[in-house]
């Protein structure tokens, strides 16, 4: 299964659409907040994809949860924006939350800095920001052979 991970689109619907078009085989889109209206628009353009979204610190008035859990191919994924876990200062709080919830994969945004790592059984990804010229996004491939994470620049 291929999963697109997006965050922090901040009104850049064009980039969201370009990313989703570039990954036509992806079945699932995980959105880590700050652009919930952009994802609502994308849902209309890509009805064949499943979307799981969380609310970011700039998604004022939205009812979307701050943290969500999703299971794909037997792997439990924690999706959050990260502001409630202070990710701009340190990743330890959000990593501990993922571990406490028995997750295999953690995805979050907020920092606008793309990052991927594997730490003692936990895959960690921040796709960066889907907004602007230097936009980026993440891909998670889950197969019977394991998990692979990658960051891509949209340029």
């Amino acid at each position: 299964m291929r999963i697109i991970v997006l965050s922090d689109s901040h009104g850049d619907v064009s980039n969201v659409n370009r990313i989703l078009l570039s990954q036509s085989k992806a079945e699932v889109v995980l959105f880590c907040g700050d652009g919930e209206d952009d994802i609502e628009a994308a849902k209309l353009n890509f009805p064949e994809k499943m979307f799981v979204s969380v609310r970011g610190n700039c998604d004022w008035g939205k009812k979307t949860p701050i943290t969500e859990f999703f299971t794909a191919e037997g792997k439990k994924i924690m999706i959050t924006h990260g502001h409630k876990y202070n990710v701009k200062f340190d990743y330890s709080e959000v990593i501990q939350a993922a571990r406490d919830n028995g997750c295999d994969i953690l995805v979050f945004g907020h920092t606008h800095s793309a990052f991927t790592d594997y730490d003692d059984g936990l895959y960690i990804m921040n796709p960066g920001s889907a907004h602007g010229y230097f936009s980026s996004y993440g891909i998670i491939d889950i197969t019977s052979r394991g998990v692979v994470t990658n960051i891509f620049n949209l340029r």
Side-chain angles (χ1 to χ4, degrees):
M1 171 179 284
R2 176 161 280 194
I3 301 170
I4 300 171
V5 184
L6 300 172
S7 190
D8 297 278
S9 54
H10 293 285
D12 201 334
V13 178
S14 175
N15 273 1
V16 170
N17 286 333
R18 284 178 57 209
I19 290 166
L20 298 182
L21 283 169
S22 74
Q23 296 292 332
S24 61
K25 293 183 182 174
E27 301 169 53
V28 177
V29 178
L30 304 180
F31 183 70
C32 301
D34 278 1
E36 188 64 30
D37 290 338
D38 309 334
I39 292 304
E40 290 302 315
K43 287 178 184 178
L44 298 174
N45 293 330
F46 300 90
E48 73 283 2
K49 296 189 185 306
M50 177 182 183
F51 289 82
V52 180
S53 299
V54 296
R55 180 175 75 238
N57 61 303
C58 294
D59 291 320
W60 303 290
K62 300 298 180 186
K63 305 263 189 249
T64 316
I66 288 177
T67 301
E68 189 69 76
F69 297 92
F70 175 72
T71 301
E73 303 292 327
K75 301 294 183 189
K76 187 174 182 182
I77 304 170
M78 178 177 164
I79 305 112
T80 191
H81 185 60
H83 63 294
K84 293 293 183 183
Y85 297 98
N86 302 305
V87 299
K88 282 197 176 177
F89 304 104
D90 183 289
Y91 295 163
S92 61
E93 193 176 337
V94 74
I95 289 170
Q96 190 59 52
R99 291 188 193 289
D100 289 348
N101 284 284
C103 295
D104 303 291
I105 303 169
L106 164 65
V107 297
F108 64 94
H110 191 50
T111 68
H112 294 210
S113 296
F115 172 81
T116 187
D117 196 13
Y118 177 80
D119 181 52
D120 195 26
L122 181 66
Y123 293 89
I124 305 164
M125 175 184 282
N126 181 329
S129 173
H131 174 67
Y133 180 75
F134 295 104
S135 63
S136 60
Y137 65 97
I139 294 293
I140 300 171
D141 286 307
I142 304 174
T143 69
S144 60
R145 296 172 68 173
V147 176
V148 176
T149 62
N150 284 295
I151 302 290
F152 294 91
N153 294 316
L154 187 56
R155 287 186 231 153

